Amino acid sequence: MKKRVLGLFALFFALLLVSCGREDKGELTVYVGLYEDHAIRAIETFEKETGIKVSHVRMSNGEILARIRAEQNAPKASVWYGGPSDTFVQAKYEGLLKSYTSPNSSFIPDIYKDPEGYWTGIYVGSIALVSNRSWLQDVGLDIPNSWEDLLKPEYKGMVSMADPRSSGTAYTILATLVQLMGEEEAFDYLEKLNENVRSYTTSGSVPGRSVGMGETGVAIMFAHDALKFFKEGFRDLVITIPKEGTGYEIGAVAMISNGPDLEAAKTFIDWSLTKQAQEIGKHTGNFQLLTNETAISPEEAFYLTEINVIDYDHNWAGLNRAILIERWVEMVK
């Protein structure tokens, strides 16, 4: 009996030592604009490396902005992870983000980060036209390679893109056209394009699946998202860059102002800027360019130096986001 009691005491003591070794490293809630597969792998890796427990909610960029705005008096999340920086810029000037300059931001070129530390770029991706080869053959059209091609009558009801109110992708398209053409000419173009658009989706990636399944003929979306769908089996997809020029996103990470777990948030941002963290995406079938100068981008990525990109002004796009979206909404009514 005495031996049994001593044995139980020894077991209890061992369990106590184990539990003490499992020091609580904190918890963190993250709003995510990445694909779910990318986000899950990244968060699992972060948890394993740091011991910080993370819960996340995946939304489109406009939805994340709306959520942070609604919760600003009692934020539930501390980090915004992924999605075009245009929306981060708007959030910055609304006072919704907290400045934080990570020591790892030294690995990120200045063109990919906010000079005051309110957001830092983790990837880059360009806007493209994404067509269904079989549909083009059926209707006798060449592969579209210009913005003007999408105004042809044969495209009526066969163009798909997202709604810029919810989608960071769609707002990048809108800001690209305004910067490329000028505001008046761009909205004249968008009004004509509206006649050919079948639907405006909530998410910027959904149009790619619609084209891949032959439901629509062409989508306007990020090239890396279309490449992901092609690799997943939608082999009729054809990706082209408009010859007039195209814009691009800087996918960003930022700290949410007055979030509940700011120390854990700093750790997450530090981690997200590392070479190892940024390279997780290509192992989950995501093909953005990476911003860390030591990281190796996917071989399939669309390099900005190899395509016709405009001198896209991300800060201007963010500052004018509300105005341009309001005008777009009035146009499509």
Side-chain angles (χ1 to χ4, degrees):
M1 182 67 180
K2 185 176 180 180
K3 289 183 178 180
R4 185 180 177 186
V5 170
L6 289 173
L8 290 172
F9 179 79
L11 177 61
F12 172 78
F13 186 70
L15 290 173
L16 182 63
L17 287 175
V18 170
S19 64
C20 289
R22 291 175 182 164
E23 182 184 351
D24 184 6
K25 299 294 181 65
E27 296 184 357
L28 183 65
T29 298
V30 178
Y31 290 155
V32 176
L34 301 170
Y35 272 100
E36 190 73 11
D37 57 354
H38 187 175
I40 289 172
R41 179 76 67 85
I43 286 169
E44 287 177 346
T45 304
F46 173 77
E47 288 181 324
K48 183 177 180 180
E49 293 182 4
T50 66
I52 297 172
K53 184 173 178 57
V54 178
S55 60
H56 78 278
V57 181
R58 199 278 167 195
M59 294 176 281
S60 293
N61 235 32
E63 294 174 316
I64 294 175
L65 176 62
R67 177 75 68 88
I68 295 172
R69 190 184 284 144
E71 296 173 350
Q72 62 182 304
N73 293 325
K76 293 182 172 61
S78 301
V79 173
W80 182 352
Y81 183 43
S85 63
D86 306 344
T87 318
F88 287 72
V89 171
Q90 183 176 357
K92 167 189 172 179
Y93 286 103
E94 290 185 18
L96 302 175
L97 301 182
K98 182 176 177 62
S99 175
Y100 173 60
T101 301
S102 166
N104 291 335
S105 68
S106 62
F107 294 101
I108 314 298
D110 288 345
I111 60 171
Y112 297 141
K113 59 191 177 187
D114 178 68
E116 298 175 297
Y118 281 92
W119 58 266
T120 308
I122 52 176
Y123 63 82
V124 177
S126 53
I127 294 293
L129 310 180
V130 182
S131 312
N132 184 295
R133 189 187 305 275
S134 296
W135 179 80
L136 292 172
Q137 291 172 347
D138 289 344
V139 298
L141 286 172
D142 293 329
I143 296 170
N145 66 357
S146 72
W147 293 108
E148 286 299 315
D149 281 344
L150 302 187
L151 301 184
K152 293 177 180 179
E154 292 90 343
Y155 284 98
K156 188 171 183 63
M158 292 304 291
V159 177
S160 181
M161 65 173 282
D163 185 323
R165 288 172 291 186
S166 59
S167 165
T169 304
Y171 181 69
T172 305
I173 295 166
L174 174 55
T176 291
L177 290 169
V178 172
Q179 293 186 52
L180 175 66
M181 301 176 179
E183 185 172 338
E184 297 307 318
E185 186 176 345
F187 274 92
D188 180 62
Y189 172 85
L190 287 163
E191 189 169 2
K192 295 173 183 175
L193 180 67
N194 185 53
E195 297 298 315
N196 286 350
V197 172
R198 176 178 177 176
S199 61
Y200 293 102
T201 62
T202 300
S203 167
S205 61
V206 169
R209 291 194 183 276
S210 176
V211 172
M213 293 185 290
E215 296 173 348
T216 52
V218 62
I220 313 172
M221 60 185 296
F222 285 123
H224 56 262
D225 288 345
L227 182 57
K228 178 180 179 65
F229 295 147
F230 181 85
K231 295 279 190 178
E232 289 176 352
F234 291 105
R235 296 297 180 175
D236 274 339
L237 291 180
V238 182
I239 305 169
T240 53
I241 303 298
K243 65 182 182 182
E244 302 97 331
T246 195
Y248 65 97
E249 70 165 329
I250 301 172
V253 64
M255 187 182 301
I256 297 169
S257 183
N258 299 317
D261 308 290
L262 294 185
E263 289 306 311
K266 290 178 182 179
T267 302
F268 187 93
I269 292 172
D270 293 345
W271 176 85
S272 73
L273 302 181
T274 65
K275 164 184 165 68
Q276 293 79 8
Q278 291 196 10
E279 290 182 356
I280 287 172
K282 64 184 179 182
H283 300 300
T284 59
N286 294 275
F287 302 100
Q288 300 98 324
L289 287 170
L290 306 178
T291 60
N292 184 304
E293 292 176 317
T294 67
I296 301 173
S297 294
E299 292 181 6
E300 304 93 332
F302 286 78
Y303 287 80
L304 300 187
T305 54
E306 298 175 3
I307 61 177
N308 183 20
V309 292
I310 66 172
D311 186 16
Y312 188 95
D313 188 332
H314 299 269
N315 194 62
W316 178 92
L319 289 172
N320 288 277
R321 183 177 179 275
I323 295 170
L324 293 178
I325 289 177
E326 182 179 2
R327 183 169 180 180
W328 181 86
V329 170
E330 287 298 316
M331 183 207 71
V332 299
K333 278 184 178 178

